[in-house]
Amino acid sequence: MNGWFERAYSLKIYVSGSFVSQQRLRHMADHLWHLGHQVVGTWLQETAKPADMPQDIFYKQLGIKDLTEVKEADCIIMDILDPSSTGGRYCEWGFSFGQQKLRYVVGNVKGVFDVLADRIFKSWEELFTYFKEHHIVVPRVVTTLTGEEVKPVK
């Protein structure tokens, strides 16, 4: 392993993309989870605004929540395979540059900020292959105070 980004432990990942891609990206997030990583972007699970909440308050809460989750993440993956419906992914992408994070893009480069990624992947399959080689999650061994390994409960 050579570099701060090649860790043998789980990454906290924020998956950024168009809201119209939400269902497709849920499957990508599941795949990252099965590789041993934690997906911190809850926008993938959002459904609709509560009926009694004003639209501006709803948007403000979503924006603050999303940026908080980007800040919490070790890595942001921006999916640009589908057109953006709101431009939010570029807000999240830009916000990530004020912090030390891994930045990956999935899709064909569309603008000047896309090329600022640490790596660009043509597809999610290409990204998953890269993760299997460079972001391997090594299971942690839990021990007692005497050094004995604690076996998982079955």
Side-chain angles (χ1 to χ4, degrees):
M1 304 230 173
N2 59 15
W4 71 271
F5 55 88
E6 290 186 347
R7 308 176 209 194
Y9 58 88
S10 176
L11 289 171
K12 289 182 181 177
I13 300 170
Y14 187 91
V15 175
S16 179
S18 176
F19 198 78
V20 299
S21 306
Q22 184 186 47
Q23 286 196 351
R24 178 176 58 79
L25 293 177
R26 284 178 186 159
H27 297 292
M28 303 306 115
D30 286 346
H31 195 92
L32 291 166
W33 184 82
H34 284 288
L35 290 175
H37 301 287
Q38 179 184 356
V39 178
V40 295
T42 57
W43 77 271
L44 293 170
Q45 313 314 323
E46 288 170 7
T47 53
K49 175 184 81 62
D52 60 340
M53 183 181 287
Q55 189 71 43
D56 60 332
I57 300 295
F58 181 64
Y59 281 162
K60 187 174 188 174
Q61 287 182 348
L62 290 180
I64 291 169
K65 176 191 63 68
D66 290 349
L67 293 179
T68 300
E69 292 170 349
V70 170
K71 186 175 181 179
E72 178 187 343
D74 303 309
C75 172
I76 182 170
I77 302 171
M78 183 172 66
D79 176 289
I80 56 174
L81 293 172
D82 296 322
S84 176
S85 56
T86 64
R89 67 182 175 205
Y90 280 106
C91 181
E92 297 156 353
W93 185 248
F95 181 72
S96 78
F97 282 93
Q99 304 139 49
Q100 185 176 10
K101 300 198 179 303
L102 280 168
R103 291 171 198 85
Y104 296 138
V105 165
V106 177
N108 293 319
V109 170
K110 293 176 175 49
V112 296
F113 296 104
D114 300 349
V115 297
L116 297 176
D118 294 304
R119 191 167 180 107
I120 299 168
F121 303 93
K122 296 287 183 196
S123 69
W124 279 93
E125 284 307 315
E126 187 181 330
L127 177 132
F128 295 143
T129 299
Y130 180 83
F131 261 63
K132 289 174 187 173
E133 295 172 11
H134 297 278
H135 298 299
I136 301 164
V137 177
V138 177
R140 295 194 171 130
V141 176
V142 178
T143 59
T144 64
L145 292 175
T146 60
E148 296 176 50
E149 185 176 340
V150 176
K151 301 289 183 192
V153 177
K154 294 183 182 183

